[in-house]
Amino acid sequence: MKKLHLTVIVIVATAVAIGAAVLVLLNDKSADTTPVNYTYEVINVYPHDPDAFTQGLNIEDGVLYEGTGLNGESTLRRVDLETGDVLQTYALPEEFFGEGITVFGSKIIQLTWQSQKGFVYDKQSFALLEEFSYSTQGWGITTDGTRLIMSDGTANLYFLDPETFEITGQIEVHDEEPVIRLNELEYINGKVYANVWQTDKIVIINPDTGQVTGWIDLTGIYTPENSNSNNVLNGIAYDAKNDRLFVTGKRWSQLFQIELIATE
Ligand SMILES: [Ca+2]
């Protein structure tokens, strides 16, 4: 009888332990997958060329690098942050619609929208060094310092070898559902930040899993001068040295330094 009693106690204790372990796992899972919602505070406002159809934005040592789009208006440019003055420009041939750009070492890489062609420039001279091909559309591009990370307007992010431009990996970005229309990108402290085309939202992505870890709502940050629906939020740049985050949009006359504020 005693033995049976002990067995029952052991079974009950084991069941309780398993139950507790399951609860811990469930809690961990929910903590890992519930995105943080952010609003913003504007820290500084800078002038931005209202003719720039911004498709790519980077900052390095206080200098902005910007890629613009539209056929016949696509450029790579070096821009003074404080004044918005365009210091240097490379104009793409008219058949190309420029898209995202990223700085990689001494080079700048620029995508084009539907031509399946990317360009590699010397960062200082803007001399065209190389072209490469890809099979998708080209939207945004950034780098984690080792790989290039590219969006194509779907929910996918592609990882590319920075020398051969071959795809070495791919993730689907998802919250409860896949998050489509990922546009301009920026790699910040281990996460990928992406504009979601035609929204006031930036999504924060775990690049290992594709899981969304945060949503930034930039509603109200800028009111376009006209009602052209193409003039949407696009362009994220992070100054890692000084921990400054910048955003702008297509044909916006202002560029904003912002800080993120978690709302929950
Ligand atoms: Ca960027």
Side-chain angles (χ1 to χ4, degrees):
M1 199 61 188
K2 257 187 182 171
K3 196 174 177 187
L4 179 64
H5 207 146
L6 190 62
T7 305
V8 168
I9 288 170
V10 167
I11 288 170
V12 168
T14 306
V16 167
I18 289 170
V22 167
L23 275 178
V24 166
L25 282 173
L26 284 175
N27 281 338
D28 273 1
K29 193 166 184 298
S30 75
D32 184 45
T33 58
T34 303
V36 178
N37 290 315
Y38 295 95
T39 184
Y40 63 94
E41 181 181 348
V42 173
I43 306 300
N44 275 305
V45 183
Y46 300 98
H48 178 246
D49 178 3
D51 293 326
F53 199 77
T54 306
Q55 299 284 35
L57 197 67
N58 265 250
I59 188 162
E60 196 180 78
D61 298 327
V63 176
L64 284 164
Y65 295 91
E66 185 168 6
T68 67
L70 301 174
N71 291 90
E73 298 181 34
S74 291
T75 62
L76 170 66
R77 43 177 78 182
R78 193 190 317 273
V79 178
D80 184 283
L81 169 67
E82 298 283 340
T83 64
D85 290 345
V86 178
L87 306 174
Q88 191 174 349
T89 305
Y90 172 87
L92 276 74
E94 192 171 358
E95 66 262 37
F96 295 110
F97 189 119
E99 286 281 343
I101 65 163
T102 192
V103 175
F104 191 86
S106 62
K107 298 172 182 174
I108 297 172
I109 296 155
Q110 183 173 36
L111 303 177
T112 60
W113 181 26
Q114 293 175 316
S115 304
Q116 302 183 325
K117 187 170 276 194
F119 298 109
V120 184
Y121 309 92
D122 179 87
K123 189 173 78 180
Q124 293 309 321
S125 68
F126 286 5
L128 180 61
L129 303 175
E130 193 182 347
E131 299 178 5
F132 63 97
S133 299
Y134 43 88
S135 60
T136 63
Q137 291 191 3
W139 284 43
I141 189 166
T142 188
T143 178
D144 62 7
T146 305
R147 307 170 295 180
L148 304 175
I149 305 169
M150 172 180 166
S151 66
D152 68 349
T154 70
N156 293 334
L157 291 179
Y158 305 91
F159 300 96
L160 278 69
D161 181 295
E163 300 299 328
T164 66
F165 303 101
E166 282 173 15
I167 293 176
T168 58
Q170 180 177 336
I171 54 170
E172 184 187 58
V173 175
H174 57 277
D175 191 355
E176 288 168 356
E177 304 267 326
V179 180
I180 61 169
R181 298 177 174 173
L182 301 174
N183 202 0
E184 215 273 339
L185 303 177
E186 189 75 10
Y187 186 84
I188 304 174
N189 296 328
K191 298 288 196 305
V192 176
Y193 288 50
N195 285 116
V196 181
W197 186 54
Q198 289 187 322
T199 74
D200 294 322
K201 300 280 179 66
I202 290 172
V203 66
I204 306 174
I205 303 153
N206 178 340
D208 298 325
T209 61
Q211 178 68 50
V212 170
T213 65
W215 287 98
I216 306 168
D217 186 347
L218 291 171
T219 300
I221 195 168
Y222 180 77
T223 305
E225 280 80 2
N226 62 56
S227 58
N228 187 326
S229 62
N230 290 317
N231 298 350
V232 292
L233 175 75
N234 201 37
I236 312 164
Y238 182 63
D239 172 8
K241 276 184 196 161
N242 302 299
D243 188 28
R244 294 187 296 174
L245 179 61
F246 301 93
V247 295
T248 192
K250 298 176 182 181
R251 299 197 189 105
W252 288 17
S253 62
Q254 294 175 315
L255 181 145
F256 301 90
Q257 182 193 345
I258 60 169
E259 277 184 5
L260 304 184
I261 302 161
T263 60
E264 58 191 47

